[in-house]
Amino acid sequence: MLSFSVYPSLLLYSFLIATSFPVGAIVANDIDPTALNAKRFLAASVIFLVILVATKQFRKPSIGLLMYAALLGSVMAFFFSLMFVALKSASALSTGAIFTLTPLLALIAGYFINRVTATWRQIIFLLIAAAGAICIVFKGDFYELLALRLGRGELIFLIGTLVFSLYSPLTKRFYDGTPFILLTFWVLVSAFVFTAVYSLTQATFPAVQDVPLRTWTAVLYLAAFPTAVTFFINTRSSTKLSPFKVASFVYLVPACVALIELVVYRHLPSLAVSIGILVTAIATFFLQFDSKKAK
């Protein structure tokens, strides 16, 4: 029987991803986003290396493990690189709406990669959760939704989202029993290498003394939690659940962002947003505990 411990960890996964938005916004003008991204992957890799060495779990990787980690790391690096390119011309609203396609894309990818299927009821729950998430993203303003246009930035982000949706199916397909903490470390290292190569062609790296203390604090937080911990949770969960079930937890990210704004900034969500949060949470819950078991 599937352990229910995976679900609390995925709730934490959604919450930690949500915290990256307000933290990133605070330091958005302090450092180029591509440079910030490379630094967060590097710091996350160092954190996992310290843990591995301290617990005596570090070992020389096999060629197969390096290839597996490079595949997963390239997926994440490619997604984040395209995301920053897309945001130069795409709006936060449009990218947020496109990102809600991730679970459906993961369902399609999971079928072709792992032959994982879903019932019509699960698909309906996915669509309901997506509708709730879109309601939150657009704050209930459906005129904004109707005015959505797919420009160059949106198309680039759509490609990035398609690539991102491959992470869980590929993890499930090629997992060979490697300890999750070791696998996560090499995935982070691979993501850093790929992202750093891209960053060198895009970013201007400031001198260490010119970077504010709050920026370094933000980098360490983003590396430790929204990066290292979420990578670990995503990798572990993807071997235990259907890929689209793991991906469906991205629907809870807009709800978590709204709740964080309520607690930190006392921004009360509108009625439409509140309804979107409730619908998304209920649909995601029923999706996870539907009668069809993960394959």
Side-chain angles (χ1 to χ4, degrees):
M1 183 176 179
L2 180 65
S3 172
F4 284 84
S5 65
V6 69
Y7 294 112
S9 68
L10 282 169
L11 289 174
L12 177 62
Y13 166 84
S14 300
F15 175 77
L16 290 178
I17 291 178
T19 64
S20 67
F21 292 97
V23 173
I26 292 174
V27 297
N29 297 318
D30 294 346
I31 187 172
D32 187 280
T34 53
L36 174 64
N37 212 43
K39 285 179 170 61
R40 69 188 284 192
F41 281 129
L42 175 59
S45 300
V46 172
I47 290 171
F48 264 81
L49 178 59
V50 170
I51 295 173
L52 285 168
V53 172
T55 58
K56 299 182 180 180
Q57 296 184 69
F58 182 82
R59 68 169 186 260
K60 182 180 178 181
S62 64
I63 297 298
L65 175 57
L66 288 179
M67 292 178 64
Y68 181 27
L71 176 63
L72 297 180
S74 65
V75 167
M76 300 306 292
F78 193 75
F79 167 71
F80 281 107
S81 297
L82 286 188
M83 180 178 71
F84 288 126
V85 172
L87 287 173
K88 291 180 180 180
S89 57
S91 69
L93 282 179
S94 60
T95 53
I98 291 170
F99 196 60
T100 61
L101 295 174
T102 301
L104 292 173
L105 292 174
L107 173 60
I108 296 171
Y111 173 76
F112 285 103
I113 296 174
N114 303 308
R115 296 301 178 188
V116 173
T117 58
T119 64
W120 281 108
R121 186 164 56 183
Q122 290 172 334
I123 294 174
I124 290 173
F125 285 142
L126 278 175
L127 293 175
I128 293 174
I134 288 176
C135 183
I136 300 169
V137 169
F138 286 90
K139 299 187 183 303
D141 190 342
F142 291 100
Y143 289 105
E144 288 276 5
L145 175 60
L146 294 174
L148 178 65
R149 296 290 184 272
L150 291 181
R152 179 175 180 272
E154 285 79 7
L155 290 175
I156 290 174
F157 189 73
L158 178 60
I159 295 173
T161 301
L162 175 60
V163 173
F164 179 77
S165 69
L166 298 175
Y167 187 89
S168 289
L170 289 174
T171 301
K172 191 176 187 71
R173 174 66 178 82
F174 295 108
Y175 182 64
D176 60 357
T178 301
F180 293 114
I181 189 170
L182 185 64
L183 174 58
T184 303
F185 166 70
W186 288 112
V187 171
L188 286 167
V189 170
S190 299
F192 163 69
V193 171
F194 287 118
T195 308
V197 171
Y198 173 78
S199 299
L200 290 174
T201 67
Q202 299 291 321
T204 300
F205 289 83
V208 172
Q209 63 270 20
D210 295 332
V211 178
L213 177 61
R214 69 174 185 177
T215 303
W216 288 116
T217 303
V219 168
L220 290 176
Y221 174 80
L222 292 172
F225 297 102
T227 304
V229 175
T230 59
F231 263 55
F232 178 81
I233 292 174
N234 195 339
T235 302
R236 177 178 178 271
S237 301
S238 295
T239 66
K240 299 178 179 295
L241 297 176
S242 298
F244 72 90
K245 285 191 174 184
V246 176
S248 70
F249 276 82
V250 305
Y251 287 148
L252 298 181
V253 173
C256 289
V257 171
L259 293 176
I260 290 172
E261 290 181 346
L262 172 62
V263 173
V264 177
Y265 302 109
R266 297 294 191 271
H267 290 170
L268 290 174
S270 65
L271 177 60
V273 171
S274 299
I275 293 174
I277 293 173
L278 183 62
V279 168
T280 302
I282 293 175
T284 303
F285 174 84
F286 280 108
L287 173 65
Q288 303 305 317
F289 297 100
D290 188 71
S291 60
K292 184 177 179 63
K293 301 298 182 182
K295 293 183 179 179

